[in-house]
Amino acid sequence: MPLASTVRPIRSGRRSCIRLRRGAVGVALAAVFAVGLSACAPDPVSESFLSGENTGYVAADGAITEIPVAERGEPVEFGGVTESGDAFDSDDIAGQVAVVNFWYAGCAPCRVEAGALEEVWQKFEGQGVSFIGVNTRDQPDTAKAFSQEYGVTYPSLIDVDTAEAKLAFAAAVPIQATPTTLVLDKQGRVAARIIGPIDGPSILSTLVKDALAEDS
């Protein structure tokens, strides 16, 4: 079922060290954005991406899609095993708003957005919000190394061998670009989608607040 949606351009939110701008081709992001907790200097892969190279990134339109409550599909049931070897099932977060981020370690914009994702997670932790990553290409050791380097504290499912999580979302929102970030409402339905790297914490925070404010 195609998404009946409202699409709006991404607007800049609060930055810590770097500001992102989209160029004419939609993938050339320049200026600065915080990519880690310990320093503001991007790693070489991030630098290549920010300078306009399409490194480890499937080009997308960068749009935000918000789905009206009446037009959302069925709840998405998904699960898998995290990088730490823990089993996860969407039943574990039933009744919560969830942010699901599809990523992999070699994806430059995934590195660029990691700090903002963690910032939003820290802001809403303990408020009925869960964050879960879905790593689409890496094995556990690589995913854990990424989390340690970029200060990511929420878990990620290792989906490379089974594609279990990615397939679970296919009917509602096919994942055609990496990174992609989804906001699920309290019933587990897709309420919003961001294609491409999130443009700072502000927009994602607003989407999470909107989902929290909805009736269960």
Side-chain angles (χ1 to χ4, degrees):
M1 174 178 174
L3 293 175
S5 59
T6 301
V7 179
R8 66 186 183 191
I10 293 178
R11 296 185 298 275
S12 297
R14 181 164 58 88
R15 305 291 189 271
S16 45
C17 295
I18 303 184
R19 178 186 178 90
L20 291 177
R21 293 182 195 155
R22 285 182 172 74
V25 295
V27 296
L29 301 183
V32 282
F33 188 3
V35 295
L37 298 183
S38 60
C40 294
D43 63 277
V45 175
S46 298
E47 286 181 329
S48 295
F49 174 71
L50 293 171
S51 67
E53 295 178 22
N54 191 20
T55 304
Y57 175 48
V58 179
D61 60 11
I64 297 171
T65 304
E66 296 180 83
I67 308 168
V69 174
E71 298 173 3
R72 293 173 193 168
E74 295 297 317
V76 179
E77 298 179 358
F78 67 105
V81 178
T82 72
E83 71 270 63
S84 299
D86 300 320
F88 171 85
D89 189 277
S90 52
D91 287 344
D92 299 337
I93 57 173
Q96 299 185 37
V97 170
V99 175
V100 183
N101 174 254
F102 291 80
W103 69 281
Y104 60 94
C107 161
C110 300
R111 301 181 183 197
V112 169
E113 72 173 1
L117 286 165
E118 177 65 20
E119 183 175 338
V120 180
W121 163 233
Q122 293 290 339
K123 178 178 180 179
F124 289 100
E125 185 179 9
Q127 299 183 43
V129 177
S130 291
F131 269 59
I132 183 78
V134 178
N135 186 299
T136 59
R137 295 194 184 184
D138 302 319
Q139 296 299 329
D141 287 347
T142 302
K144 285 190 285 187
F146 180 98
S147 294
Q148 291 171 0
E149 181 175 358
Y150 293 98
V152 177
T153 61
Y154 56 85
S156 284
L157 304 179
I158 301 302
D159 210 42
V160 60
D161 294 323
T162 66
E164 178 182 352
K166 188 173 182 179
L167 289 172
F169 284 95
V173 282
I175 308 302
Q176 299 173 334
T178 308
T180 290
T181 301
L182 307 176
V183 177
L184 310 185
D185 65 17
K186 297 171 188 176
Q187 297 183 39
R189 303 172 301 180
V190 178
R193 176 183 63 182
I194 303 174
I195 301 175
I198 67 170
D199 192 18
S202 179
I203 293 297
L204 181 58
S205 293
T206 298
L207 294 173
V208 171
K209 287 180 182 177
D210 289 348
L212 280 172
E214 294 175 357
D215 294 332
S216 300

